[in-house]
């Protein structure tokens, strides 16, 4: 009886090896059978952090620069993952595990480690092995490769799961410690210099590290090694910190008879939305977003998400956003059923500032205006330009959804510039437009010959006139790891007092219009 009471509760670790690479393979445009490498950032200077079997057979290894990896394998697919994409993949795993336990703790972002509490699940799934095998089979059906270790400690279960495959169940804490003794230290989160220091003492495994005296580790090998020893030996015990998950605030309305007029659908939603807001207010929260699922007759269901500019409890504000979204939505069939789900957050309580200068621009009013645009035309209608590291001008920025409105921060004006100095804005076209006729096959002009000014006929309006002077060239070259790019950029003055931004593509020997300068 006393021995059973001394046994700690069980804990399982679910580890998805190369989690970022697995998440990358789920992109529709990625072929998982072709050579594939995950890089830490875009561009030729990014480093490879994970590779699949096809890339490994071609000699691509972790740590190589993207340019070097492409040189080894011309067919290599290189891609980077944004943090938001990793977080979405992690949330998908948590949702998949939720049916097997209500207590789940995800590991650090991008680690692919998840701890799950098996307590109370034996009546549904049987003994721990049957429970773990059910998790393993469910993740495999969803397309994820995982290893599951059912043990007792957070650190040791993760150390065993990250190097294993399939399902492993440990009967006692002593068996867990014995199994983890063979885990290589190189697999754990230790700095390279600490691994070198320990290797000088022939300490290569976790078992060899645990045999060292704990009192001297911090002084000789630093804080990282001392904390790893404390976690592995059980001297430091960290409790499970499961995600706080509560029942969604949702309601379903059957539309009888089915309706396709947006005003009548809005009237039906108006009848059930106040009750959802009251339930949210009882939990001390306000509505941050409203999810709508419209079940149609003999057609695929439509899912809509309406996000508020700031958490609100205003019924009229939410109904106005729903009206805008429904008014811009073409319904292919009548709506037979509506499901509403409110997503709530606790409102912030900002400190009252008595002497703080209030800006004349109202950021909240701008956010509410963009919220209405987003509701009427979709989330993709409100975006902002984000800079990227790239050789080509058209790849040096990307459009991403605008999450929050902020006041602009203007850079300091240089001392040598006066207030009267005009600012010039270069407006890039969505895609460079070819100018003039394509080169003839018998065109044997040398690559260094200066190209004649191109014709603007058919591309610019007649008021623009013809090109009278070119300023340049400004050479842009690169991309040899994918396709050679060699452009000569010019600023072109026209007889109609326009200023254009052109480039001459040397490999194709053709002019292109890339932008207009205002």
């Amino acid at each position: 009886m006393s021995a059973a009471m001394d046994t700690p509760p069980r804990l399982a670790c679910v580890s998805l090896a190369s989690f970022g690479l697995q998440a990358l393979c789920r992109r529709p445009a990625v072929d998982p059978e072709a050579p594939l490498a995950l890089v830490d950032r875009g561009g030729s200077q990014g480093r490879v952090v994970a590779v699949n079997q096809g890339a490994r057979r071609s000699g691509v290894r972790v740590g190589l620069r993207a340019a070097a990896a492409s040189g080894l394998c011309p067919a290599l697919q290189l891609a980077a993952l944004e943090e938001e994409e990793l977080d979405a993949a992690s949330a998908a795993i948590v949702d998949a595990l939720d049916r097997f336990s209500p207590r789940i703790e995800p590991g650090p972002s991008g680690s692919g480690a998840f701890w799950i509490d098996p307590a109370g699940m034996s009546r549904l799934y049987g003994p721990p092995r049957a429970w773990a095998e059910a998790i393993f089979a469910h993740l495999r059906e969803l397309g994820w490769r995982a290893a599951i270790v059912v043990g007792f400690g957070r650190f040791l279960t993760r150390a065993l799961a990250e190097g294993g495959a399939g399902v492993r169940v440990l009967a006692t804490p002593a068996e867990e410690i014995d199994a983890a003794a063979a885990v290589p230290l190189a697999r754990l989160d230790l700095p390279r210099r600490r691994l070198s220091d320990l290797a000088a003492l022939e300490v290569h495994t976790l078992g060899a590290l645990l045999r060292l005296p704990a009192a001297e580790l911090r002084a000789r090998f630093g804080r990282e090694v001392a904390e790893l020893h404390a976690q592995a030996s059980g001297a430091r015990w960290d409790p499970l910190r499961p995600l706080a998950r509560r029942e969604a605030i949702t309601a379903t309305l059957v539309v009888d008879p089915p309706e396709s007029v947006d005003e009548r659908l809005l009237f039906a939603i108006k009848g059930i939305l106040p009750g959802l807001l009251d339930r949210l207010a009882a939990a001390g929260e306000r509505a941050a977003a409203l999810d709508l699922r419209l079940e149609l007759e003999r057609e695929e269901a439509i899912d809509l998400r309406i996000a508020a500019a700031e958490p609100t409890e205003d019924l009229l504000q939410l109904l106005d956003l729903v009206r805008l979204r429904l008014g811009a939505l073409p319904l292919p069939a009548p709506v037979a059923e509506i499901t509403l789900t409110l997503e709530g957050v606790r409102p912030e309580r900002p400190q009252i500032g008595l002497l703080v200068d209030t800006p004349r621009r109202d950021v909240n009013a701008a956010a509410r205006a963009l919220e209405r645009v987003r509701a009427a035309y979709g989330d993709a209608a409100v975006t902002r330009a984000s800079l990227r590291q790239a050789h080509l001008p058209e790849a040096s920025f990307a459009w991403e959804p605008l999450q929050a409105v902020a006041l602009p921060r203007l850079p300091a004006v240089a001392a040598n510039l006066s207030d009267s100095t005009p600012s010039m804005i270069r407006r890039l076209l969505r895609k460079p437009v070819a100018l003039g006729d394509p080169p003839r096959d018998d065109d044997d002009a040398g690559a260094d010959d200066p190209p004649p000014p191109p014709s603007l006929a058919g591309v610019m309006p007649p008021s623009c006139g013809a090109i009278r002077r070119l300023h340049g060239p400004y050479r842009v070259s690169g991309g040899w790891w994918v396709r050679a790019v060699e452009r000569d950029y010019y600023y072109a003055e026209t007889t109609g007092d326009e200023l254009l931004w052109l480039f001459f593509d040397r490999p194709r020997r053709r002019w292109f219009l890339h932008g207009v300068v205002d």
Side-chain angles (χ1 to χ4, degrees):
M1 182 74 176
S2 61
M5 293 180 61
D6 293 339
T7 302
R10 286 189 175 274
L11 183 67
C13 180
V14 179
S15 176
L16 286 81
S18 301
F19 182 57
L21 193 64
Q22 290 198 57
L24 182 62
C25 290
R26 303 178 77 83
R27 287 182 179 176
V30 172
D31 181 9
E33 302 299 326
L36 178 64
L38 177 67
V39 292
D40 56 0
R41 57 190 174 93
S44 61
Q45 297 303 309
R47 288 198 179 274
V48 175
V49 295
V51 296
N52 67 353
Q53 290 291 340
R56 192 175 293 110
R57 284 193 296 267
S58 299
V60 180
R61 296 292 181 264
V62 172
L64 287 177
R65 294 282 187 187
S70 296
L72 288 172
C73 179
L76 182 67
Q77 302 176 82
L78 288 167
L81 280 178
E82 297 292 339
E83 186 176 352
E84 293 80 6
E85 193 169 353
L86 276 175
D87 292 341
S90 179
I93 298 297
V94 171
D95 291 339
L97 297 176
D98 187 57
R99 63 189 293 183
F100 300 98
S101 175
R103 292 167 51 82
I104 305 165
E105 178 187 349
S109 178
S111 65
F114 303 83
W115 287 278
I116 179 168
D117 184 3
M121 307 305 295
S122 59
R123 293 190 176 184
L124 293 176
Y125 295 97
R129 176 169 292 278
W131 172 76
E133 288 176 348
I135 297 176
F136 181 82
H138 182 58
L139 291 177
R140 185 172 56 189
E141 288 177 3
L142 297 177
W144 297 99
R145 293 182 291 104
I148 304 174
V149 172
V150 183
F152 303 90
R154 293 167 56 95
F155 181 84
L156 296 183
T157 52
R158 180 180 176 184
L160 290 168
E162 288 187 342
V167 174
R168 187 172 187 177
V169 179
L170 303 165
T172 63
E175 182 183 349
E176 182 181 59
I177 294 175
D178 292 341
V183 173
L185 293 179
R187 190 192 301 163
L188 307 177
D189 297 329
L190 278 179
R192 185 171 299 179
R193 66 180 187 281
R194 300 305 182 194
L195 290 174
S196 301
D197 295 341
L198 292 169
L201 299 178
E202 296 297 325
V203 176
H204 303 283
T205 63
L206 192 57
L209 177 64
L210 292 177
R211 288 193 289 271
L212 296 179
E216 302 178 8
L217 286 179
R218 183 177 292 271
R220 291 197 60 183
F221 300 106
R223 175 182 55 85
E224 301 95 345
V225 177
E227 290 186 355
L228 189 146
H229 187 282
Q231 291 175 340
S233 63
R236 172 181 164 184
W237 179 75
D238 294 326
L240 185 70
R241 301 178 181 87
L243 291 174
R245 300 167 66 87
R246 60 174 174 78
E247 184 180 357
I249 297 179
T250 184
T252 300
L253 170 68
V254 176
V255 182
D256 188 21
E259 186 60 70
S260 57
V261 180
D262 54 325
E263 290 87 354
R264 296 176 183 174
L265 294 174
L266 181 65
F267 186 79
I269 293 173
K270 182 181 178 181
I272 58 177
L273 190 55
L276 297 181
L277 287 172
D278 291 341
R279 289 168 56 187
L280 203 60
E285 296 181 344
R286 293 180 180 176
L290 172 64
D291 291 322
L292 288 173
R293 183 173 180 84
L294 307 179
E295 299 286 350
L296 306 181
E297 279 193 326
R298 300 179 298 278
E299 294 286 347
E300 294 287 337
I302 298 176
D303 292 310
L304 305 174
R305 181 174 179 84
I306 301 173
E310 55 184 353
T312 182
E313 54 188 357
D314 190 344
L315 172 63
L316 295 180
Q317 180 182 351
L318 288 177
L319 287 175
D320 184 46
L321 297 178
V322 173
R323 178 185 62 81
L324 290 171
R325 179 60 62 88
L326 291 178
L329 180 68
L331 293 174
V335 178
E337 186 176 283
I338 305 175
T339 300
L340 288 81
T341 303
L342 271 183
E343 180 182 309
V345 295
R346 292 192 175 275
E348 295 182 356
R349 304 293 182 184
Q351 183 178 359
I352 299 177
L354 298 178
L355 302 177
V356 178
D357 292 334
T358 303
R360 286 182 292 179
R361 294 184 178 182
D362 191 344
V363 176
N364 292 332
R368 288 191 295 271
L370 293 179
E371 165 194 282
R372 291 172 57 85
V373 175
R374 201 180 283 116
Y377 301 105
D379 295 338
V382 182
T383 58
R384 62 182 291 272
S386 177
L387 296 179
R388 297 285 189 269
Q389 290 186 351
H391 285 78
L392 299 183
E394 61 266 29
S396 62
F397 66 94
W399 296 105
E400 60 183 22
L402 178 63
Q403 303 297 338
V405 180
L407 290 173
R409 289 182 290 181
L410 299 177
V413 179
N416 60 339
L417 294 180
S418 64
D419 294 338
S420 60
T421 302
S423 298
M424 304 188 73
I425 300 174
R426 184 169 51 199
R427 293 187 289 111
L428 268 63
L429 302 179
R430 184 181 297 272
K431 185 179 179 181
V433 178
L435 298 174
D437 297 327
R440 302 186 307 273
D441 294 338
D442 58 351
D443 185 3
D444 56 353
D448 296 329
D449 293 344
S455 171
L456 302 176
V459 176
M460 298 296 294
S463 60
C464 180
I467 294 176
R468 66 180 178 185
R469 185 182 305 170
L470 292 174
H471 301 272
Y474 306 94
R475 177 65 57 87
V476 172
S477 61
W480 52 266
W481 53 92
V482 178
R483 187 185 67 179
V485 174
E486 191 174 354
R487 297 177 179 176
D488 288 341
Y489 275 89
Y490 295 84
Y491 289 99
E493 294 183 36
T494 72
T495 55
D497 293 331
E498 297 283 351
L499 188 58
L500 309 178
W501 197 45
L502 317 176
F503 71 85
F504 181 72
D505 190 318
R506 286 187 169 273
R508 288 187 280 179
R509 295 202 55 78
R510 195 171 186 187
W511 284 95
F512 289 84
L513 173 65
H514 204 164
V516 178
V517 181
D518 294 334

